[in-house]
Amino acid sequence: MTFAEKLQALRQLMFAKKIDAYIITAADPHISEYLPAHYKAIPFACGFTGSAGTLVVTQDFAGLWTDSRYFTQAEAQLTGTGYELVRLKVPHTPEYISWLCDMLPRGAKVGFNYELITVALAQELQHNLAQNEIETIHVDFISDIWQDRVGLPVENAFLIDEEAAGLSISAKINEVRTVLSINKADYHLISSLDDIAWLFNLRGQDVDYNPVTLSFALITPEGVKLFIDKQKLSQTDIQTLNQQGVALHPYTEVATALKELPEDIRIFIDPKRTCFGLFECLPKGGKIISGINPSTNLKSLKNDTEIKHIRKAMLHDGVALTRFFKWMEERLGKEQITEWSAAEKLASFRAEQESFVGLSFNTIAGYNANGALPHYNVTAESNQEILDDGLFLVDSGGQYLYGTTDITRVMPIGKCSATQADDYTLVLKGLIEGSKLIFPEGTKGYQIDSICRKPLWEHAINFGHGTGHGIGFFLNVHEGPQNISPANVDVVFKPGMVTSIEPGIYRPGKHGVRIENLVLCVPGSSSEFGHFLTFETLTLCFIDTTIINKTLLSADQIEWLNQYNQMVFQKLQPMLLEEEAKWLKGKCQPV
């Protein structure tokens, strides 16, 4: 079926069921960012492959709501599908709700799959639509028309030992129970796969780039239930879980277990990480206590063992990146190198490193105009040869048994323009200002965001994505609860949090610049004005200085840059071959 034929089939089902509008979300029952192939409904329906978007279909309109990161990509992918791009004014907001309220008559019916939408979003939808006497209905039309749909993943899972995790499973469960007690909750449902992975020291291969396995967890006064396909685990791991007080149940039985809970329960859920379908299974007479999953907050504060391992991962990642950029510099002009082949070569250098498991996300390798697409995904059609001039942006990361990495660098090639040099320098200024920041306890991400953007704002330049996100420990490359963005997220930065800093400038059709490091929040100084925090930079890869415009950098910014590059050289030199160390030393010469 073509995309247009799928849309027609969808409308026929809507007509038969008297559904006036149908919503298709980018989600699974675990509200994951990266989805198993079984749940990639939006690419199936319209061909759009971005990670953020919502489809809304009526009998006379079909639209994709997405944000500025994907405007160019969406316009190209939606051509001829019957869907139109609807540009979000505010990223990560459900603006289609107000559109539905304006477009649908009273008495209309809106359908969506309750298993593929958060509690928070479903309740917002129901509340707003009810104001216009519009009804919401649970319906799954995608399964009816997706004839060759792949099944759920069945990859093996495994436990990481306490020596690697720093805490036992039972110790983590006790930490969660302490938070539940503070919130006067007896039960706790966990749906988010990275929270479950952290809590049970569990890793898997069910989702591309994220080392997680499909599962649910339920903490009760009597014990802990883990809903998972037991066939994925070894007998040794099953025994370890049982010894730690975890009872295993089939993955598909979670809904039944929720329906059997006592009517007077007090259950803690995260409304942004729990699907509405499971919420509807909870006893109607129970008390729902809403908040961020306790495990989300706990896993964001990396323990000493995790930090030690993360530093080790950064060393190996730095070696791979050094070898990649040396290879690029030496081979460009002597052999054909494309965005695709460069990304594959970088992956091969990472694969040579100790305890490498896989990539932490699909590598963004964009040359000149393609680098202006913040979430560019190279395809056979878009693949460009990297020639002898311009900017090559590489945003990449690795999953190691002892950590997760995420880094962006821009490689100047040949003669670059003054605009490219200025953009590169301004982005670097933003990175430096965030990296050397000293801030009081209680500071939130949106405050740090403005400091990173200030060098760009002074030149009337801005970018449409956040400045930073949390990073997991051999887990998801995007992790909460903290972030650095304009959004007023009510989460303060604390020692132990690992976060990216990645400002950027994007000139459509020309070039893009983004420079990204990971930083660890650490205690700073104290005074009569309170305790202060700062950042320790973890990422180890030189920052190219060949095209910087020194007139745009202050003396202290130049000092930070020189000290950073010198640190990179000193830490990586012992792990490099002699000729590699010599090459890196040249790249790390002070400005």
Side-chain angles (χ1 to χ4, degrees):
M1 296 173 70
T2 66
F3 294 122
E5 288 171 340
K6 294 173 186 176
L7 179 57
Q8 180 60 27
L10 184 58
R11 283 176 167 152
Q12 289 173 353
L13 289 170
M14 291 169 59
F15 181 80
K17 296 290 186 179
K18 295 182 171 57
I19 300 295
D20 298 282
Y22 187 64
I23 300 171
I24 305 172
T25 55
D28 63 9
H30 306 277
I31 316 302
S32 305
E33 176 186 12
Y34 292 91
L35 305 177
H38 180 82
Y39 290 109
K40 293 183 178 180
I42 290 182
F44 163 78
C46 70
F48 175 68
T49 58
S51 64
T54 304
L55 298 180
V56 179
V57 178
T58 67
Q59 289 298 337
D60 54 11
F61 180 79
L64 168 74
W65 274 255
T66 192
D67 61 63
S68 61
R69 296 173 296 169
Y70 300 107
F71 287 168
T72 302
Q73 175 184 341
E75 284 181 333
Q77 292 182 326
L78 294 179
T79 301
T81 66
Y83 289 87
E84 299 179 22
L85 169 64
V86 184
R87 300 168 185 260
L88 283 175
K89 299 180 179 66
V90 181
H92 313 299
T93 57
E95 294 175 4
Y96 58 87
I97 296 179
S98 59
W99 183 86
L100 287 168
C101 290
D102 292 339
M103 299 301 295
L104 296 180
R106 294 184 182 275
K109 295 180 180 179
V110 175
F112 53 88
N113 189 337
Y114 285 9
E115 294 182 358
L116 307 181
I117 192 168
T118 68
V119 174
L121 181 53
Q123 290 179 336
E124 183 179 355
L125 258 168
Q126 289 183 333
H127 173 76
N128 284 274
L129 295 177
Q131 303 300 309
N132 290 266
E133 299 178 15
I134 298 172
E135 182 182 357
T136 59
I137 296 175
H138 168 55
V139 63
D140 176 14
F141 289 143
I142 291 296
S143 294
D144 293 334
I145 63 175
W146 198 344
Q147 298 175 355
D148 58 348
R149 190 175 194 172
V150 299
L152 293 176
V154 293
E155 303 296 330
N156 288 336
F158 60 95
L159 300 184
I160 58 174
D161 58 36
E162 185 178 334
E163 182 181 352
L167 281 175
S168 67
I169 298 168
S170 59
K172 291 181 176 181
I173 291 172
N174 286 337
E175 287 187 344
V176 171
R177 285 193 184 278
T178 298
V179 179
L180 297 179
S181 178
I182 293 171
N183 286 274
K184 296 181 172 55
D186 303 314
Y187 294 78
H188 177 36
L189 171 64
I190 311 173
S191 299
S192 41
L193 301 182
D194 58 330
D195 284 304
I196 294 170
W198 176 85
L199 184 60
F200 298 101
N201 289 338
L202 175 67
R203 300 296 188 269
Q205 308 168 75
D206 284 350
V207 181
D208 289 343
Y209 311 118
N210 297 341
V212 296
T213 190
L214 297 187
S215 50
F216 296 96
L218 181 64
I219 297 178
T220 75
E222 296 79 28
V224 178
K225 298 179 179 181
L226 177 62
F227 298 87
I228 188 172
D229 180 358
K230 288 176 63 174
Q231 300 301 315
K232 296 181 178 182
L233 295 167
S234 69
Q235 286 302 313
T236 300
D237 285 343
I238 291 174
Q239 184 178 8
T240 298
L241 287 164
N242 290 337
Q243 290 171 346
Q244 297 284 318
V246 180
L248 301 185
H249 296 265
Y251 173 73
T252 55
E253 291 185 2
V254 61
T256 300
L258 295 179
K259 292 175 183 177
E260 294 174 350
L261 292 175
E263 282 292 331
D264 61 346
I265 64 165
R266 297 175 60 87
I267 186 166
F268 190 106
I269 68 163
D270 187 333
K272 294 182 179 180
R273 303 295 301 278
T274 305
C275 75
F276 192 58
L278 290 184
F279 177 81
E280 288 286 274
C281 295
L282 296 174
K284 301 308 178 185
K287 170 68 175 178
I288 306 296
I289 301 166
S290 298
I292 295 174
N293 281 331
S295 47
T296 299
N297 288 312
L298 291 168
K299 72 177 165 56
S300 72
L301 305 178
K302 307 302 185 276
N303 60 51
D304 291 343
T305 300
E306 291 172 322
I307 292 169
K308 179 186 71 175
H309 288 313
I310 291 169
R311 290 195 176 106
K312 184 179 178 182
M314 295 298 172
L315 285 168
H316 287 283
D317 213 52
V319 170
L321 287 156
T322 299
R323 289 174 176 164
F324 168 72
F325 284 115
K326 180 176 183 291
W327 173 82
M328 283 284 295
E329 184 176 279
E330 293 174 349
R331 302 313 303 166
L332 270 176
K334 299 179 182 178
E335 63 182 79
Q336 185 185 58
I337 299 177
T338 67
E339 296 168 333
W340 192 292
S341 66
E344 290 293 308
K345 189 67 176 180
L346 176 53
S348 72
F349 281 122
R350 279 199 169 99
E352 295 171 354
Q353 296 302 306
E354 175 186 315
S355 296
F356 176 77
V357 175
L359 300 182
S360 58
F361 58 96
N362 191 32
T363 298
I364 299 169
Y367 175 59
N368 283 344
N370 287 340
L373 304 174
H375 284 234
Y376 173 64
N377 181 22
V378 59
T379 65
E381 294 75 27
S382 70
N383 189 26
Q384 294 291 313
E385 182 179 359
I386 302 169
L387 301 175
D388 59 355
D389 70 304
L391 302 177
F392 178 46
L393 184 153
V394 184
D395 186 348
S396 66
Q399 293 285 8
Y400 299 83
L401 288 175
Y402 41 75
T404 301
T405 68
D406 182 4
I407 174 175
T408 309
R409 289 293 185 267
V410 173
M411 180 180 182
I413 302 172
K415 185 177 181 180
C416 296
S417 69
T419 298
Q420 290 172 331
D422 287 352
D423 286 352
Y424 183 93
T425 308
L426 291 175
V427 169
L428 178 57
K429 281 171 68 75
L431 171 75
I432 293 173
E433 286 304 289
S435 301
K436 68 185 186 69
L437 185 63
I438 299 172
F439 51 95
E441 286 184 335
T443 297
K444 300 174 183 177
Y446 66 87
Q447 296 168 298
I448 299 172
D449 181 82
S450 63
I451 291 170
C452 297
R453 291 177 190 262
K454 182 175 181 292
L456 282 67
W457 287 350
E458 289 173 343
H459 293 260
I461 297 172
N462 201 11
F463 53 94
H465 57 76
T467 301
H469 54 84
I471 305 284
F473 169 71
F474 182 30
L475 260 179
N476 295 4
V477 74
H478 294 152
E479 178 180 280
Q482 85 279 14
N483 68 21
I484 303 175
S485 77
N488 185 8
V489 175
D490 189 22
V491 175
V492 302
F493 270 69
K494 297 179 180 179
M497 288 180 169
V498 177
T499 313
S500 70
I501 300 179
E502 46 183 309
I505 294 176
Y506 310 96
R507 298 188 184 274
K510 297 178 181 178
H511 64 263
V513 178
R514 183 167 64 254
I515 306 175
E516 173 189 15
N517 281 342
L518 302 187
V519 296
L520 171 68
C521 184
V522 296
S525 57
S526 297
S527 70
E528 66 269 30
F529 299 101
H531 300 292
F532 287 75
L533 306 174
T534 189
F535 290 129
E536 171 196 335
T537 298
L538 297 172
T539 301
L540 295 173
C541 178
F542 74 95
I543 296 175
D544 197 295
T545 62
T546 56
I547 67 165
I548 63 170
N549 180 351
K550 283 184 61 176
T551 64
L552 293 175
L553 295 177
S554 62
D556 63 316
Q557 290 166 347
I558 291 175
E559 180 182 8
W560 183 95
L561 176 60
N562 289 337
Q563 289 180 351
Y564 173 76
N565 274 343
Q566 189 58 35
M567 176 190 72
V568 169
F569 175 71
Q570 290 174 349
K571 291 192 173 184
L572 295 184
Q573 180 187 15
M575 302 178 66
L576 297 171
L577 299 175
E578 183 177 352
E579 66 271 20
E580 294 168 343
K582 182 179 179 181
W583 181 87
L584 180 60
K585 185 176 183 179
K587 292 296 180 182
C588 294
Q589 289 300 303
V591 174

